């Protein structure tokens, strides 16, 4: 028996003693916890200490949220600063709207600060944490399901997503079902996470190579998923801005991987900066400074 369609949630907000519990925010929080747990285990396997990823997350998470929101507002300003827009809505993160590349770039800056404070180099930390980050993305995309947003073109496929009339595009008010791009991206992120973990073990990756593979693999899926979406977006030469971003980042990531592997870069012998203490013993002498 085939599934006729995927229903959207009847509500995305619940109230507990007058306090709103939003499905979107809940998905983001659960995703963050997944990233911390996975990243912590992977950093320990690389020679770090348990709990260090949680400390770094205290910097990376708020930076990432701010960066993700800024990217979203900058690339889709009309809803906030155009005709009929309300600038104060730019602050309403709980209503949805976090751009992944803003979150990655600014969140990485926060992660770098947190890593330095812990005496850790950022490349091995990034390699440890990004398989968990892409799992967090897989979880976070379900927040779009709760908000009935960022879906794709109309379709009658068996797995089509039902969208309520109030949330449908003005151009297709009579189309009841659409491509569930949130689901496509969530599943793609799970595949990317598996790829990163396998490749890291198989090829002894380091020096930011896992992070670069994440960028290349995620961009590959995001490119075709983005082409299905019907939400408002800036276009350059007939193509959505995020498609151009995916192309540029894919090329940069692949170039880095090729160069890094050819010059023989492999996993760092320690994630610590030279001269910093690991807790019980100093970093071995002669280890290259990974700053």
């Amino acid at each position: 028996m085939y599934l006729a369609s995927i229903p959207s949630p009847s509500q995305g907000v619940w109230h507990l003693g007058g306090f709103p519990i939003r499905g979107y925010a809940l998905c983001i929080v659960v995703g963050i916890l997944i990233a911390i747990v996975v990243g912590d285990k992977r950093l320990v396997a690389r020679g770090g200490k348990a709990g260090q990823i949680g400390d770094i997350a205290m910097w990376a998470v708020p930076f990432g949220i701010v960066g993700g929101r800024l990217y979203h507002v900058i690339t889709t300003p009309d809803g906030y600063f155009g005709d009929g827009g309300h600038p104060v809505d730019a602050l309403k993160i709980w209503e949805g709207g976090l751009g992944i590349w803003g979150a990655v770039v600014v969140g990485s800056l926060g992660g770098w600060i947190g890593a330095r404070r812990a005496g850790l180099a950022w490349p091995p930390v990034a390699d440890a944490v990004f398989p968990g980050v892409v799992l967090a993305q897989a979880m976070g995309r379900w927040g779009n399901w709760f908000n009935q947003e960022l879906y794709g073109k109309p379709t009658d496929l068996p797995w089509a997503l039902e969208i309520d009339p109030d949330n449908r595009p003005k151009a297709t008010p009579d189309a009841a079902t659409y491509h569930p791009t949130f689901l496509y991206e969530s599943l793609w992120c799970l595949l990317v996470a598996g790829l990163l973990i396998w490749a890291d073990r198989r090829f002894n990756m380091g020096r930011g190579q896992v992070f670069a593979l994440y960028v290349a693999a995620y961009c590959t899926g995001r490119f075709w998923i983005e082409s299905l979406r019907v939400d408002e977006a800036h276009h350059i030469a007939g193509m959505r801005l995020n498609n151009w971003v995916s192309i540029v980042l894919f090329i940069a990531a692949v170039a880095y991987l090729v160069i890094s592997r050819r010059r023989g870069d492999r996993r760092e012998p320690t994630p610590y900066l030279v001269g910093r203490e690991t807790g019980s013993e100093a970093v071995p002498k002669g280890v290259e400074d990974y700053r």
Side-chain angles (χ1 to χ4, degrees), residues 136-256:
Q137 289 177 236
M139 184 69 226
R141 276 305 176 194
W142 286 84
N144 301 137
W145 180 57
F146 281 104
N147 282 358
Q148 294 194 40
E149 61 183 2
L150 305 186
Y151 45 83
K153 301 173 183 177
T155 182
D156 57 359
L157 288 169
W159 54 85
L161 175 67
E162 298 175 14
I163 297 295
D164 294 338
D166 291 344
N167 295 312
R168 295 173 190 169
K170 294 179 181 179
T172 56
D174 297 327
T177 55
Y178 299 78
H179 278 284
T181 50
F182 84 91
L183 180 60
Y184 298 162
E185 186 163 339
S186 182
L187 293 175
W188 182 258
C189 286
L190 293 178
L191 291 174
V192 172
L195 171 65
L196 298 184
I197 293 171
W198 170 81
D200 188 28
R201 293 175 177 173
R202 174 66 177 81
F203 300 108
N204 194 31
M205 302 179 84
R207 307 292 189 120
Q209 293 170 358
V210 176
F211 170 70
L213 181 59
Y214 153 79
V215 173
Y218 176 72
C219 284
T220 301
R222 179 62 184 266
F223 184 87
W224 69 265
I225 293 170
E226 186 75 20
S227 67
L228 291 174
R229 284 171 41 171
V230 294
D231 53 298
E232 293 185 5
H234 281 296
H235 287 72
I236 300 175
M239 194 160 58
R240 291 168 68 97
L241 175 61
N242 280 328
N243 282 118
W244 286 108
V245 173
S246 294
I247 291 172
V248 171
L249 293 178
F250 174 84
I251 293 172
V254 171
Y256 176 79

Side-chain angles (χ1 to χ4, degrees), residues 11 17 23 26 38 75 79 104 123 142 161 224 238 263-264 267 277:
Q11 64 185 91
L26 187 61
V38 173
T75 56
V104 168
W142 286 84
L161 175 67
W224 69 265
R263 70 187 181 195
R267 186 174 302 172
E277 298 295 320

Side-chain angles (χ1 to χ4, degrees), residues 101-156:
W101 295 123
V104 168
V105 172
V106 182
S108 292
L109 174 60
W112 177 81
I113 294 172
R116 296 285 294 193
R117 290 172 62 88
L120 294 163
W122 175 240
V125 171
D127 285 340
V129 79
F130 267 90
V133 168
V134 76
L135 287 175
Q137 289 177 236
M139 184 69 226
R141 276 305 176 194
W142 286 84
N144 301 137
W145 180 57
F146 281 104
N147 282 358
Q148 294 194 40
E149 61 183 2
L150 305 186
Y151 45 83
K153 301 173 183 177
T155 182
D156 57 359

